[in-house]
């Protein structure tokens, strides 16, 4: 079955710096991917979903890149601020039962 | 507003006891899921369901049963709880189809002593 590896497990950056989180997956039939944010003690909230072979999606303060050739998905927070401090999870879905990466705990220091 | 709710929010159980975690969704979604979240493992899929009466095994089903008596409700049952099942459990609902995201409940923190 699908295996999703997420790196790094912990990431600490200064306010205004960029922060990059990367996931790799194994199943070539996976074609929908998701990024979720989890604030401390809270549930998961969708940040963005991405589809298609190579795609760059831009949200508020972040960019998501999918490279299906390399089976790699990345989340780039372009200018991190303390409110971005949270855990981030990638997920892939190829059969109605999404599988998640292990998560990245991001800390943004003022 | 559509929502996924879980009960109880916190539970302390004894080893060997029976535990039932409940999930209710008002999203009218066909699919529902149970995950557990542990440090270093992220969310791991325990069971999921495509609709009332259906349950499917996820990646770590051993020691867990699931029940989907209706579109709205999906339960996770630990017949003989063990300390290794101490975790935070999340329920989620989703539309049938791989392009759709999941909507998560607030989580249940289970401690098995």
């Amino acid at each position: 079955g699908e295996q999703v590896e997420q790196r790094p497990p912990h990431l600490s950056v200064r306010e205004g710096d960029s922060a990059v989180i990367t996931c790799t997956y194994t199943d070539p039939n996976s074609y929908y991917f998701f990024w979720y944010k989890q604030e401390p003690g809270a549930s998961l909230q969708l940040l963005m979903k991405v589809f298609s072979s190579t795609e760059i999606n831009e949200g508020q303060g972040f960019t998501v890149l999918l490279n299906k050739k390399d089976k790699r998905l990345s989340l780039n927070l372009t200018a991190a601020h303390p409110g971005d401090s949270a855990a981030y999870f990638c997920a892939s879905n190829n059969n109605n039962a999404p599988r998640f990466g292990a998560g990245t705990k991001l800390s943004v220091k003022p | 507003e559509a929502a996924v709710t879980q009960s109880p929010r916190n539970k302390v159980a004894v080893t060997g006891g029976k535990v039932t975690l409940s999930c209710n969704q008002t999203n009218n979604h066909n699919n529902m899921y149970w995950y557990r979240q542990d440090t270093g493992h992220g969310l791991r899929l325990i069971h999921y369901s495509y609709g009332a009466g259906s349950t499917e095994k996820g990646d770590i089903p051993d020691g867990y049963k699931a029940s989907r008596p209706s579109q709205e409700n999906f339960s996770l049952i630990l017949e003989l709880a063990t300390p290794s099942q101490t975790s935070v459990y999340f329920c989620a609902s989703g539309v049938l189809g791989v392009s759709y995201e999941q909507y998560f409940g607030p989580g249940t923190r289970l401690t098995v002593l």
Side-chain angles (χ1 to χ4, degrees):
Chain A
E2 174 74 289
Q3 306 271 345
V4 180
E5 185 171 328
Q6 184 171 344
R7 290 282 184 268
H10 300 277
L11 182 58
S12 181
V13 300
R14 290 283 180 193
E15 184 172 8
D17 288 349
S18 65
V20 180
I21 302 169
T22 301
C23 290
T24 56
Y25 59 95
T26 57
D27 190 341
N29 295 317
S30 292
Y31 50 93
Y32 260 99
F33 303 87
F34 307 84
W35 282 102
Y36 290 87
K37 178 181 180 180
Q38 184 184 33
E39 299 191 351
S43 191
L44 284 79
Q45 300 291 330
L46 179 73
L47 268 183
M48 181 167 282
K49 57 184 180 182
V50 62
F51 168 68
S52 188
S53 57
T54 303
E55 184 169 339
I56 298 176
N57 280 15
E58 295 188 2
Q60 282 194 321
F62 59 89
T63 302
V64 169
L65 174 64
L66 170 63
N67 186 324
K68 291 204 74 180
K69 177 175 173 292
D70 294 340
K71 299 194 197 65
R72 187 183 301 271
L73 176 72
S74 64
L75 172 68
N76 185 347
L77 285 80
T78 47
H81 56 84
D84 292 328
S85 295
Y88 292 82
F89 295 89
C90 62
S92 75
N93 194 2
N94 64 353
N95 64 353
N96 292 316
R99 265 67 174 185
F100 284 76
T104 296
K105 189 171 182 180
L106 173 66
S107 174
V108 182
K109 300 186 188 317
Chain B
E1 185 177 318
V4 180
T5 56
Q6 295 181 231
S7 63
R9 293 294 312 279
N10 291 281
K11 172 77 176 176
V12 178
V14 296
T15 297
K18 182 177 180 179
V19 177
T20 300
L21 306 182
S22 298
C23 179
N24 177 274
Q25 55 109 353
T26 59
N27 297 324
N28 198 29
H29 288 161
N30 291 95
N31 291 7
M32 295 186 75
Y33 311 83
W34 277 107
Y35 293 88
R36 61 178 284 176
Q37 183 178 34
D38 304 286
T39 303
H41 290 282
L43 277 78
R44 291 183 289 174
L45 182 66
I46 306 170
H47 284 288
Y48 59 104
S49 168
Y50 292 121
S54 128
T55 60
E56 306 289 335
K57 292 182 180 179
D59 297 327
I60 54 164
D62 292 347
Y64 302 94
K65 288 172 55 178
S67 173
R68 182 87 182 270
S70 65
Q71 177 87 334
E72 297 78 20
N73 295 294
F74 191 36
S75 297
L76 185 68
I77 302 149
L78 291 66
E79 295 277 5
L80 294 168
T82 69
S84 65
Q85 294 175 312
T86 293
S87 187
V88 179
Y89 292 85
F90 285 98
C91 174
S93 74
V95 175
L96 186 67
V98 298
S99 64
Y100 296 99
E101 66 271 24
Q102 294 167 299
Y103 294 82
F104 284 85
T108 293
R109 183 173 295 276
L110 173 65
T111 303
V112 182
L113 302 175

